[in-house]
Amino acid sequence: GCALLADSIITPAITVTSSIEGLHMINPDLRVVPFVLIILAALFFVQQFGTNFIGRSFGPMMMIWFVMIGFLGLSQILRYPAILSAANPVYAFRFLTSHPHGYLILGAVFLCTTGAEALYSDLGHCGLKNIRITWIFVKTALLLNYFGQGAWYLLAQPVEANVNPFYAIMPDWFLLAGVIIATIAAIIASQALLSGSFTIIGEAVSLNFWPKIRISQPTNVKGQVYISSINWFLWIACCFVVVFFQ
């Protein structure tokens, strides 16, 4: 439960910020923090009215998102197919043995597993079989994109400082559309975690693990709840993370 609530603070702050940061590729002098705070304010404000619209758009938009990142990565892999050899675990073993302090990077690697608990909050809404099947597609698209970013790094030597490889592999004519799609995907991902947070706190209240607080049902969708105190707490925490870490 703590991991899920922490993700509900970290995910909106990081994903929305990182998606909007693509605007730096268009205008390097643009400050993204105000844009992020406006998006977060809108995201948390609409929670009280229910999120049927976001829920209905979840599938099609995420399909577009993962197809996009998969093709972007594939375009770079085709330019440098040798990047696929990075899947060989021998490289990881050599790195950890030749660099004694290399194990510290495993802290960052472990972040890949955080968020997995969010799958449990989605089980009730999406179903087990759905998640098992779609995860194959999701994982393939992610791997293609990460390999593509690695290929871009190897081809673009030397790499300029503060360059975002995710946006760097996009064609210039597609950059603005890519930022918009990434931002929508970030909002949907944030929404999924917020819904999970309301659900888990609602269950905690029913099990007497949490103080009795007001729980609303903004729509007639089964299982969709809204908890005002949790919503505004998460909003303040997200804004603090964005402003503090810029």
Side-chain angles (χ1 to χ4, degrees):
C2 291
L4 187 65
L5 289 174
D7 272 352
S8 298
I9 296 172
I10 295 171
T11 298
I14 292 180
T15 56
V16 174
T17 303
S18 60
S19 61
I20 293 293
E21 278 180 344
L23 295 175
H24 278 157
M25 303 286 288
I26 302 173
N27 183 356
D29 298 325
L30 191 68
R31 294 192 63 221
V32 300
V33 170
F35 289 98
V36 175
L37 294 177
I38 291 172
I39 292 173
L40 289 178
L43 174 65
F44 283 93
F45 178 75
V46 301
Q47 297 301 313
Q48 59 192 306
F49 305 112
T51 53
N52 283 355
F53 173 75
I54 296 179
R56 283 194 298 268
S57 63
F58 182 96
M61 281 308 306
M62 296 313 285
M63 173 70 76
I64 294 172
W65 163 250
F66 285 114
V67 168
M68 180 191 80
I69 67 173
F71 270 107
L72 287 172
L74 184 62
S75 67
Q76 299 298 313
I77 294 173
L78 293 176
R79 295 177 60 205
Y80 192 82
I83 189 65
L84 295 176
S85 62
N88 188 341
V90 170
Y91 292 112
F93 178 77
R94 287 178 182 170
F95 177 78
L96 293 175
T97 53
S98 60
H99 300 280
H101 296 292
Y103 71 93
L104 292 174
I105 202 173
L106 293 178
V109 173
F110 184 73
L111 284 175
C112 296
T113 67
T114 66
E117 70 278 356
L119 289 174
Y120 292 96
S121 69
D122 291 333
L123 281 174
H125 299 287
C126 302
L128 182 63
K129 189 175 182 180
N130 188 351
I131 288 178
R132 282 177 171 168
I133 293 173
T134 55
W135 183 245
I136 298 171
F137 164 67
V138 167
K139 186 174 182 179
T140 302
L142 288 170
L143 287 175
L144 286 173
N145 192 263
Y146 290 139
F147 278 126
Q149 291 184 42
W152 177 84
Y153 263 118
L154 293 175
L155 289 169
Q157 298 292 347
V159 179
E160 297 179 17
N162 299 321
V163 171
N164 186 326
F166 175 74
Y167 287 110
I169 65 177
M170 290 185 182
D172 292 338
W173 58 267
F174 185 73
L175 196 54
L176 182 58
V179 172
I180 293 172
I181 294 173
T183 302
I184 294 173
I187 291 172
I188 291 176
S190 302
Q191 174 57 52
L193 277 170
L194 292 179
S195 297
S197 297
F198 298 149
T199 301
I200 203 168
I201 292 297
E203 293 297 325
V205 170
S206 66
L207 293 170
N208 292 320
F209 290 154
W210 195 271
K212 298 295 182 183
I213 53 179
R214 181 181 175 85
I215 301 176
S216 307
Q217 292 180 313
T219 68
N220 56 5
V221 176
K222 182 180 179 181
Q224 188 173 108
V225 297
Y226 167 74
I227 304 176
S228 177
S229 56
I230 299 298
N231 184 66
W232 300 120
F233 168 77
L234 293 177
W235 174 57
I236 293 171
C238 283
C239 291
F240 171 79
V241 170
V242 171
V243 172
F244 184 81
F245 293 103
Q246 291 294 299

